[in-house]
Amino acid sequence: MPIFTFREPGWSPLQEMERLQRRMGRLFEETFGPGLALWRPGVYPLVNISEDHDYLYVRAELPGINPQELEITVHEGNLILRGERKIPAEEKTINYHRRERESGYFRRVVGLPTPVNPDKVEASYKDGILTVKLGKPEEIKPRVIKVQSS
Amino acid sequence: MTEKELKPKAKEEVPAKGERVRPGRVFLPAVDIFETPEALTLVADMPGVPNDKVILDIKDNHLIISGEIIPPMAAGETMLNQEYYTGDFQREFHLGAIIDQARIEATMKDGVLRLLLPKAEKAKPRKIEVKVG
């Protein structure tokens, strides 16, 4: 039996990799307790994904960026975040004691755990946190099923 | 300058000293500190801290900056996948120079704190002439 089949519609190796890595992360967390095993993908920015009944929320800490220069794309179950963090040059006369803040560009693909409605995506930026709110399609929203008694 | 790709870094937690009243984690903000003959400037990344939740505490040459975050998740949200922890920020510094506290300026924008700490008159550097005798 082949390990991967490419016939499935909407199958994306990237997403599959992310899913697998997440599962591994969860396994770690269950074994060693929380705190030791956050799954870190090695790509900036790190994101936290949460959900409620109607939306998925993807958040990232991006302090001091210009939100106008962020490029946010939803494509085939992936959220793509691209942008640049610029740290304006200070005057030439200064001398540094510490320089820990980093600048540079980033491009991240985040595999979304559920399907989303691409027409219902909003992004906001506040206090250095980017929040992308993605609407879930009606058909995947949880529904309460009543038990009928005869 | 060549373009650089940003690399993700795990946030560093503040080494525990006393017990905190407010529960949750506390992280060390990444900072830039630079100096001119007149002032020290400190720039700190504190994502999630609103403008009115920054606390500066200066005693002599000891500076503590701290910021409280608003919990990012609303009630009713459940975490599906977590790559970073959220929490307050705090960091302490011993300033090399005496600061003129009356002229300190602090601005907070998009999660970045910028602190201008003007040096007191007597702390400014003086050029020392070497006398040739």
Side-chain angles (χ1 to χ4, degrees):
Chain A
M1 207 183 107
I3 297 166
F4 296 116
T5 51
F6 290 86
R7 263 169 253 149
E8 222 179 298
W11 189 89
S12 128
L14 249 169
Q15 252 176 295
E16 214 47 46
M17 279 297 284
E18 278 216 33
R19 263 186 221 133
L20 184 69
Q21 280 180 297
R22 269 186 215 150
R23 259 178 250 147
M24 294 286 286
R26 241 174 266 148
L27 188 70
F28 255 79
E29 200 152 329
E30 278 161 24
T31 319
F32 303 110
L36 286 167
L38 282 193
W39 175 59
R40 299 220 166 80
V43 191
Y44 188 95
L46 298 177
V47 299
N48 282 349
I49 306 175
S50 57
E51 69 170 350
D52 60 15
H53 184 270
D54 298 318
Y55 295 96
L56 270 184
Y57 301 88
V58 178
R59 291 193 178 84
E61 294 186 332
L62 294 164
I65 59 153
N66 179 359
Q68 303 296 323
E69 289 175 24
L70 263 176
E71 196 185 311
I72 302 163
T73 322
V74 178
H75 180 65
E76 287 179 355
N78 288 317
L79 173 73
I80 300 161
L81 303 172
R82 293 174 67 102
E84 194 179 349
R85 184 174 188 222
K86 291 174 185 160
I87 296 180
E90 303 291 346
E91 290 166 50
K92 288 258 162 59
T93 53
I94 62 160
N95 299 311
Y96 275 99
H97 285 281
R98 271 161 217 247
R99 199 163 192 184
E100 299 165 358
R101 300 168 67 238
E102 287 181 288
S103 60
Y105 66 91
F106 53 89
R107 40 205 186 161
R108 164 101 202 248
V109 181
V110 182
L112 298 170
T114 69
V116 294
N117 182 348
D119 300 324
K120 281 205 281 174
V121 180
E122 288 167 35
S124 59
Y125 182 70
K126 192 174 181 289
D127 302 326
I129 310 271
L130 171 75
T131 305
V132 185
K133 190 174 157 186
L134 307 112
K136 293 183 194 170
E138 285 304 320
E139 57 269 24
I140 67 149
K141 285 183 190 171
R143 242 166 300 183
V144 178
I145 290 135
K146 284 200 181 113
V147 179
Q148 291 176 336
S149 57
S150 50
Chain B
M1 210 174 88
T2 48
E3 277 215 333
K4 198 175 91 186
E5 183 149 11
L6 276 165
K7 288 271 162 239
K9 270 188 193 158
K11 291 198 277 184
E12 202 179 328
E13 274 193 77
V14 174
K17 257 201 264 171
E19 202 167 329
R20 273 168 35 101
V21 176
R22 194 175 135 97
R25 294 167 193 267
V26 187
F27 297 97
L28 293 169
V31 298
D32 286 351
I33 303 174
F34 50 84
E35 186 169 357
T36 62
E38 287 79 38
L40 267 175
T41 303
L42 186 149
V43 188
D45 288 341
M46 299 199 284
V49 177
N51 301 5
D52 57 347
K53 288 284 186 189
V54 181
I55 300 154
L56 304 171
D57 184 359
I58 303 179
K59 276 188 204 101
D60 300 324
N61 64 347
H62 189 72
L63 166 73
I64 304 172
I65 55 169
S66 42
E68 281 183 12
I69 59 154
I70 297 173
M73 286 212 296
E77 273 182 55
T78 44
M79 187 66 87
L80 293 178
N81 185 55
Q82 186 165 26
E83 291 175 1
Y84 66 86
Y85 289 118
T86 55
D88 296 340
F89 291 94
Q90 186 169 350
R91 197 155 167 184
E92 296 185 37
F93 299 95
H94 284 285
L95 303 168
I98 304 296
I99 300 304
D100 184 351
Q101 296 201 18
R103 291 190 295 134
I104 291 173
E105 284 172 39
T107 48
M108 183 77 185
K109 189 178 181 281
D110 297 334
V112 180
L113 170 72
R114 194 179 174 101
L115 202 57
L116 182 74
L117 305 154
K119 292 181 195 169
E121 274 314 309
K122 60 178 178 183
K124 285 185 188 169
R126 257 163 303 197
K127 243 189 193 165
I128 293 149
E129 302 274 336
V130 178
K131 283 178 191 163
V132 184

